[in-house]
Amino acid sequence: MTTASWTLRCSACDTPAPLERASLCGSCGQPLFARYAPVARHTPLADRWDMWRYAPFMPLLAGESPVTLGEGLTPLIDAPALAQAVGVRKLWIKDEAQNPTGSFKARGMSAAVTRARAAGVPGLVVPTAGNAGAALAAYAAAAEMKVRVIAPRTTPRPILDTIDAMGAELIRIDGHIGDAGKMALAYAAESGYFAISTLREPYRVEGMKTMGFELAEQLGWRVPDVVVYPTGGGEGTVGIWKALQELAAGGWIAADRVQPQYVVAQAAGCAPIARAFDAGADKAEPWVDPVTHASGLRVPSPLGDRLVLRIMRETGGFAATATEDAIREWTRVLATATGIDAAPEDGCALSVLRDGVTAGRIQRDAEVVVFNTGSGASYRA
Ligand SMILES: *Cc1c(COP(=O)(O)O)cnc(C)c1O
């Protein structure tokens, strides 16, 4: 028996939780976080070329092989023409479209499936707005595990086709991801399958965290001034923030510059976190009738609301929205100015960045990183 190098504790009230089959905090209902002893600077990273290179920071038992498809280690691409178009000094795109199944969701599923397989669960179930389902279908296939994916019928066709192609059981529903989430929990209760929902399952965010490690390492162990993230459930944003906290605890990055300013981009047709931020609230109310073609942002009741709101306030960041037309326009600008095949979510991020610069909320001499979370190819019918 190998002893785990981490514990699970509530992100809000610090109540401990068991390491396997964990869900939300039994005491207050908020997401759980894995906690580790600080990893000291210069601790050797793993000698491998996927996100598990950051193994000393990850929920991995000694000698255990993760379920991997080569996720992570995505490029940080200097985009001077785009920097000029939005009016900032320096702009980098972290191109997450280069992950297995074309989105950053691969990172979370690699970590979550690794832990679920170790726990011996009979199968996996996930509610998804699209990319999480495609990623889980791929990692379940890699782990030889059974999986059910529940997705809105309106999910872009190439994503549904990928889920199907990986051999997952695909259930198409008429509602949104919130409806799919309720069905996933009901199915988990009746079948014994384990539900891998955003931030309800605690290890997905551990995989997302590796975006933060890579970002800091690619910049020479420092952080940029601003990070812009197209936010739905909140896992990407929370993961990056958590990584930088852990790097600072071990002395990998300077203690006086730990976190960038976090700018959260949402679609005007589904913006629960932006609305809560503007209202000065510490949690988001559910968004009625969510509509946007940026399907990854169609999350009306994000579980990460409190964490994301706190992260923005603590870092001097903010949340803002883009209309469907602005999303289309800036998706086109992103792709044509860089050659990166941008998803609509990332057009949303760029539009919010541009508005933030124009309004003086983001400094023109800032060094900005925008996450290209998914691939445009996944959205072309
Ligand atoms: C899931 C997803 C998002 C939103 O990420 P969260 O971690 O849920 O906030 C953004 N863009 C794409 C392409 C996605 O698949």
Side-chain angles (χ1 to χ4, degrees):
M1 227 4 227
T2 318
T3 316
S5 62
W6 72 96
T7 59
L8 278 185
R9 289 182 167 275
C10 178
S11 61
C13 74
D14 214 39
T15 302
L19 297 184
E20 292 191 344
R21 278 185 167 268
S23 169
L24 298 172
C25 173
S27 167
C28 76
Q30 284 294 298
L32 300 175
F33 272 169
R35 305 267 186 207
Y36 311 75
V39 178
R41 185 173 187 194
H42 302 309
T43 298
L45 300 174
D47 187 13
R48 53 185 297 154
W49 296 103
D50 56 37
M51 75 170 194
W52 296 95
R53 172 175 150 70
Y54 301 97
F57 296 87
M58 298 295 285
L60 197 64
L61 301 172
E64 186 182 31
S65 296
V67 180
T68 178
L69 290 166
E71 58 292 322
L73 306 196
T74 59
L76 186 65
I77 299 170
D78 190 3
L82 203 55
Q84 200 166 30
V86 298
V88 293
R89 174 174 61 86
K90 190 82 176 166
L91 178 57
W92 304 93
I93 306 291
K94 177 79 170 149
D95 189 11
E96 290 296 304
Q98 297 192 33
N99 275 298
T101 71
S103 83
F104 78 103
K105 295 297 197 304
R107 298 177 186 260
M109 293 310 180
S110 176
V113 173
T114 295
R115 296 271 42 90
R117 182 183 65 177
V121 305
L124 307 166
V125 56
V126 72
T128 181
N131 283 319
L136 183 60
Y139 285 88
E144 299 181 77
M145 293 175 78
K146 286 192 270 188
V147 60
R148 173 182 282 216
V149 176
I150 307 174
R153 218 174 278 288
T154 54
T155 302
R157 181 65 193 271
I159 298 179
L160 293 176
D161 287 349
T162 300
I163 295 167
D164 202 40
M166 297 292 172
E169 185 191 359
L170 171 61
I171 312 286
R172 297 157 207 244
I173 62 159
D174 285 323
H176 51 65
I177 190 175
D179 306 309
K182 289 182 195 125
M183 290 177 65
L185 290 184
Y187 184 71
E190 103 191 24
S191 67
Y193 275 34
F194 183 55
I196 310 243
S197 324
T198 300
L199 289 168
R200 178 177 289 279
E201 189 286 332
Y203 297 115
R204 271 176 66 169
V205 72
E206 294 301 293
M208 301 312 190
K209 208 169 75 171
T210 58
M211 291 190 288
F213 297 143
E214 288 174 24
L215 178 60
E217 185 171 13
Q218 284 169 311
L219 291 174
W221 298 113
R222 61 180 188 88
V223 299
D225 300 312
V226 179
V227 161
V228 186
Y229 209 93
T231 299
E235 205 165 58
T237 318
V238 171
I240 294 163
W241 173 86
K242 188 172 189 287
L244 298 179
Q245 295 294 109
E246 292 174 4
L247 287 178
W252 295 76
I253 54 177
D256 59 346
R257 266 307 300 284
V258 175
Q259 296 290 352
Q261 187 185 8
Y262 285 85
V263 175
V264 160
Q266 297 210 289
C270 181
I273 293 177
R275 182 174 62 188
F277 182 84
D278 286 341
D282 65 358
K283 66 183 174 71
E285 298 303 326
W287 190 274
V288 179
D289 198 15
V291 186
T292 172
H293 74 287
S295 52
L297 307 183
R298 194 168 166 241
V299 184
S301 303
L303 256 177
D305 59 343
R306 289 169 185 266
L307 285 163
V308 173
L309 286 161
R310 204 181 81 203
I311 289 168
M312 286 187 286
R313 295 224 166 81
E314 285 180 2
T315 64
F318 62 90
T321 64
T323 63
E324 294 297 289
D325 281 350
I327 291 172
R328 279 196 189 87
E329 169 62 8
W330 284 96
T331 304
R332 191 189 60 76
V333 174
L334 206 174
T336 55
T338 63
I340 295 166
D341 190 9
E345 289 81 354
D346 313 308
C348 180
L350 211 63
S351 173
V352 162
L353 169 60
R354 166 68 193 192
D355 289 351
V357 172
T358 308
R361 296 175 103 180
I362 294 169
Q363 301 299 313
R364 287 183 183 273
D365 71 350
E367 179 182 35
V368 180
V369 174
V370 171
F371 280 77
N372 188 62
T373 49
S375 164
S378 303
Y379 293 72
R380 270 175 224 124

